[in-house]
């Protein structure tokens, strides 16, 4: 029995590490290399968002203007300043999936952004403050959806790069990880106070919110495997709870909350050759209740 338990624990450690293969090693190496070579944090990334997003450079930073339509059809307008020093500091940080997730949840700019969102203009029948929680949630999701989807290779010239909240807001674009971290960062702040998670699918990431934290309007939304979180797609407009039809490999919120070891093995068997590369994630996996 002891031997079986040890085997299961070891398999968990390797399996979850497979999900984040590029995170701990490849992503951090590229981030560090880019940080060392970049003398100017403003990347020449064009802002070609689906809804109007503009960036004005000021003496000490940037003034971002976001305009978008949320999933319920309300139109929003928000102006948000970000200091150049804050952007530079964020760009100089090398992140993998776990540290990027934690940094987003702790981001002071994510907190400021949610406060600004609560005071942003949303046209429609809700003209008085405070706006209902469901309206704010729609607004946050709509803001993330309004930013341009761009692969790391297209936007930064690296095979895998983890943007911080500050970088995504200033760059006006990101891939599924970057946009997920932006939404997670917003929904984790006091204005919402949601228990959030990152949800890993084959080649994809999306946000998860604890089912008990969502507004009553979404009480019937389907939950992810494990029964605790509800999915929110960050790159495409899907109803809350719906996501692309692929297996959920893992859900990581306050530690590992769900893992499908067989699906991970089927998806990423080629990465099992060197489990030592997954040590950071393996340590997190080992701490989850058996």
């Amino acid at each position: 029995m002891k031997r079986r338990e040890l085997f299961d624990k070891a398999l968990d450690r390797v399996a979850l590490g497979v999900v984040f293969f590029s995170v701990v090693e490849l992503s951090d190496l590229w981030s560090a290399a880019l940080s060392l070579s970049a003398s100017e944090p403003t990347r020449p990334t064009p802002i070609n968002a689906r809804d109007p997003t503009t960036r004005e450079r000021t003496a000490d930073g940037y003034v971002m203007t976001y305009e978008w339509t949320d999933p319920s059809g309300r139109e929003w307008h928000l102006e948000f300043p970000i200091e150049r020093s804050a952007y530079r500091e964020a760009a100089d940080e090398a992140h993998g999936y776990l540290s990027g997730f934690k940094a987003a949840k702790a981001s002071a700019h994510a907190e400021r952004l949610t406060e600004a969102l609560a005071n942003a203009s949303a046209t429609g029948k809700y003209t008085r403050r405070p706006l209902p929680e469901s309206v704010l949630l729609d607004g946050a999701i709509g803001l993330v959806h309004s930013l341009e989807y761009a692969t790391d290779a297209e936007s930064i010239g690296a095979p895998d790069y983890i943007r911080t909240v500050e970088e995504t807001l200033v760059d006006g674009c990101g891939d599924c990880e970057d946009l997920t971290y932006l939404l997670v960062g917003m929904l984790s702040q006091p204005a919402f106070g949601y228990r959030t998670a990152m949800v890993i699918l084959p080649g994809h990431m999306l946000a998860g919110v604890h089912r008990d934290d969502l507004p009553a309007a979404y009480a019937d939304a389907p939950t992810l495997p494990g029964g605790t979180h509800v999915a929110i797609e960050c790159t495409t407009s899907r109803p809350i709870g719906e996501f692309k039809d692929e297996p959920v490999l893992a859900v990581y919120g306050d530690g590992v909350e769900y893992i499908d070891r067989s699906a991970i093995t089927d998806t990423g068997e080629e990465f099992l050759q060197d489990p030592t590369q997954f040590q950071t994630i393996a340590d997190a996996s080992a701490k989850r209740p058996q």
Side-chain angles (χ1 to χ4, degrees):
M1 187 63 178
K2 269 292 196 198
R3 185 172 299 177
R4 178 63 185 178
E5 290 177 359
L6 289 173
F7 175 78
D8 286 345
K9 289 181 180 179
L11 184 56
D12 274 357
R13 290 163 68 90
V14 173
L16 185 58
V18 169
V19 180
F20 301 100
F21 166 69
S22 62
V23 180
V24 179
E25 295 292 331
L26 183 59
S27 177
D28 285 355
L29 288 174
W30 271 98
S31 298
L34 287 166
S35 297
L36 289 172
S37 63
S39 58
E40 170 56 48
T42 303
R43 300 189 182 95
T45 304
I47 298 179
N48 294 318
R50 291 183 288 271
D51 289 307
T53 300
T54 61
R55 176 177 61 214
E56 179 184 352
R57 186 164 178 168
T58 63
D60 60 353
Y62 313 93
V63 175
M64 304 301 303
T65 301
Y66 308 102
E67 295 183 353
W68 71 96
T69 302
D70 71 22
S72 297
R74 304 180 196 90
E75 296 180 352
W76 294 74
H77 176 93
L78 187 152
E79 293 185 0
F80 189 70
I82 300 179
E83 308 85 352
R84 188 174 296 108
S85 59
Y87 181 86
R88 180 187 293 274
E89 181 179 349
D92 285 345
E93 288 287 333
H95 285 296
Y97 282 19
L98 276 183
S99 62
F101 175 69
K102 293 175 181 176
K105 293 175 66 174
S107 169
H109 285 86
E111 182 173 6
R112 281 180 43 209
L113 185 64
T114 58
E115 293 171 353
L117 180 70
N119 293 305
S121 57
T123 60
K125 66 178 181 178
Y126 299 107
T127 58
R128 297 180 180 178
R129 299 294 187 266
L131 294 176
E133 181 186 350
S134 60
V135 175
L136 286 178
L137 178 58
D138 281 351
I141 295 172
L143 170 57
V144 172
H145 285 171
S146 76
L147 302 182
E148 185 77 6
Y149 173 82
T151 66
D152 294 326
E154 293 170 336
S155 63
I156 204 169
D160 194 20
Y161 181 84
I162 304 298
R163 278 183 170 89
T164 61
V165 166
E166 293 78 10
E167 291 174 277
T168 301
L169 288 172
V170 172
D171 293 347
C173 66
D175 63 7
C176 61
E177 294 97 345
D178 306 326
L179 299 176
T180 292
Y181 292 146
L182 175 57
L183 184 60
V184 161
M186 296 175 69
L187 300 185
S188 299
Q189 304 307 318
F192 289 100
Y194 293 169
R195 288 165 286 182
T196 54
M198 54 180 178
V199 184
I200 312 300
L201 280 63
H204 188 47
M205 181 187 288
L206 49 88
V209 173
H210 197 287
R211 61 183 180 183
D212 294 338
D213 295 340
L214 286 170
Y218 300 108
D220 295 330
T223 57
L224 288 156
T228 301
H229 291 86
V230 173
I232 303 179
E233 280 277 10
C234 296
T235 59
T236 58
S237 297
R238 292 176 183 258
I240 289 178
E242 296 185 11
F243 56 95
K244 61 188 297 187
D245 187 20
E246 296 206 25
V248 174
L249 304 182
V251 178
Y252 187 94
D254 185 15
V256 181
E257 302 188 11
Y258 172 81
I259 181 169
D260 187 334
R261 292 178 292 167
S262 61
I264 292 171
T265 301
D266 292 342
T267 303
E269 187 175 359
E270 67 273 18
F271 296 136
L272 291 173
Q273 297 177 5
D274 185 8
T276 61
Q277 297 186 72
F278 319 133
Q279 190 60 50
T280 299
I281 304 298
D283 290 344
S285 179
K287 295 177 182 177
R288 78 183 181 97
Q290 297 299 316

